């Protein structure tokens, strides 16, 4: 199957999952995850309609964006080190992986320098795995409250990478937990915070994520095949 065929198939599956949950399919955005994918195949995906591209490393993204330009909206979905914040604000329309206040402050400072308001999501360690990125579940609301005070970042929602499990049904409770967490924090009506976006769901489980309220799914393998 071509990249275009795969993309169409993913959109169909997103739409079907949205309908099962009584949701409007247009309320779900697809991020086409291009890490390790070469420029030619990225161009092919964009020609087939990919509007948002997701990269997980700043350096790799920088090289691709220098080569390809702003052919689509670029999102950072992987871990961000504070010392790379100054590059990240120049490259990405959305940063999905803000998980500590120092990083939020640095993004605020760097975005301010270039006169930008940086859209971000707060990444939550939804399964409580200490080794994984993300703010602890219990600390997420506090981080949102503090980061909300920074004028050059705009919090748009939450993101999570749940454990990789073969059966998507096993992942469903984590998606529910992220949705409930977002709803709980939204009730606080924190000024300048919108928790509309839930970035959750990957190749193996995006339909379950959409059924549970995902507004942003991040799909790589199911579009480009296995990464080498
Ligand atoms: C690689 C990656 C994805 C895409 O994973 P696939 O299983 O290839 O769809 C999604 N989210 C993050 C954070 C990733 O690093």
């Amino acid at each position: 199957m071509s990249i275009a065929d795969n993309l169409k198939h993913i959109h169909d599956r997103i739409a079907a999952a949205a309908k099962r949950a009584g949701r409007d399919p247009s309320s779900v955005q697809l991020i086409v995850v291009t890490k390790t994918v070469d420029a030619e195949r990225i161009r092919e995906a964009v020609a087939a309609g990919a509007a948002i591209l997701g990269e997980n490393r700043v350096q790799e993204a920088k090289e691709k964006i220098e080569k390809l330009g702003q052919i689509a909206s670029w999102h950072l979905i992987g871990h961000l080190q504070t010392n790379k914040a100054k590059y990240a604000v120049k490259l990405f329309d959305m940063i999905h992986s803000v998980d500590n206040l120092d990083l939020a402050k640095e993004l605020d400072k760097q975005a301010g320098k270039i006169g930008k308001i940086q859209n971000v999501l707060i990444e939550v360690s939804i399964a409580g795995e200490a080794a994984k990125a993300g703010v602890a579940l219990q600390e997420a609301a506090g981080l949102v409250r503090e980061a909300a005070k920074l004028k050059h970042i705009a919090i748009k929602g939450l993101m999570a990478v749940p454990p990789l499990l073969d059966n998507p049904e096993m992942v469903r409770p984590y998606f529910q937990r992220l949705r409930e967490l977002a709803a709980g924090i939204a009730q606080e009506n924190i000024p300048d915070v919108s928790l509309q976006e839930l970035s959750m769901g990957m190749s193996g489980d995006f339909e379950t994520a959409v059924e549970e309220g995902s507004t942003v799914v991040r799909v790589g393998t199911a579009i480009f095949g296995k990464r080498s």
Side-chain angles (χ1 to χ4, degrees):
M1 292 244 280
S2 68
I3 289 171
D5 289 336
N6 290 343
L7 264 176
K8 181 176 184 312
H9 189 50
I10 300 291
H11 278 295
D12 290 346
R13 288 168 61 191
I14 290 171
K19 283 192 188 128
R20 282 198 294 282
R23 302 181 56 202
D24 178 353
S26 71
S27 65
V28 184
Q29 290 187 307
L30 171 64
I31 299 193
V32 174
V33 176
T34 49
K35 65 187 183 204
T36 78
V37 175
D38 63 45
E40 248 348 278
R41 292 198 301 153
I42 296 175
R43 276 205 192 92
E44 197 179 328
V46 171
I52 310 175
L53 306 174
E55 284 283 334
N56 72 337
R57 291 177 55 238
V58 172
Q59 185 56 36
E60 184 181 339
K62 190 165 174 287
E63 286 162 19
K64 287 177 184 170
I65 296 169
E66 278 165 6
K67 192 162 179 181
L68 292 165
Q70 295 292 338
I71 52 171
S73 175
W74 294 88
H75 285 200
L76 182 68
I77 60 174
H79 179 67
L80 177 60
Q81 286 172 301
T82 304
N83 62 10
K84 301 231 169 91
K86 62 174 175 290
Y87 306 110
V89 297
K90 291 184 188 143
L91 297 170
F92 301 106
D93 294 326
M94 176 77 88
I95 295 171
H96 290 230
S97 49
V98 175
D99 64 359
N100 66 82
L101 191 58
D102 285 343
L103 175 59
K105 284 181 177 164
E106 187 64 18
L107 286 170
D108 178 63
K109 180 174 142 194
Q110 298 299 339
K113 277 190 194 168
I114 60 168
K116 178 183 184 184
I117 294 178
Q118 176 68 55
N119 289 330
V120 304
L121 304 178
I122 301 296
E123 180 174 1
V124 181
S125 173
I126 203 72
E129 296 161 291
K132 276 215 179 164
V135 61
L137 200 64
Q138 304 82 343
E139 290 163 19
L143 177 56
V144 173
R145 278 182 222 118
E146 289 305 309
K149 296 174 188 163
L150 303 167
K151 291 301 165 208
H152 294 278
I153 63 172
I155 301 172
K156 298 294 182 184
L158 303 183
M159 179 271 211
V161 183
L164 275 180
L165 301 166
D166 289 338
N167 179 354
E169 282 310 314
M170 307 277 288
V171 190
R172 189 182 294 276
Y174 298 111
F175 294 145
Q176 290 169 338
R177 201 178 290 172
L178 192 71
R179 184 190 65 216
E180 285 161 11
L181 179 67
I185 301 173
Q187 278 187 341
E188 295 185 26
N189 288 320
I190 301 165
D192 300 324
V193 171
S194 143
L195 292 181
Q196 295 282 14
E197 305 296 345
L198 285 177
S199 170
M200 57 187 198
M202 304 171 32
S203 287
D205 55 23
F206 68 88
E207 289 154 301
T208 311
V210 168
E211 287 169 10
E212 295 303 334
S214 172
T215 65
V216 185
V217 295
R218 310 177 305 264
V219 179
T221 309
I223 295 167
F224 297 109
K226 274 213 165 64
R227 285 179 289 275
S228 45

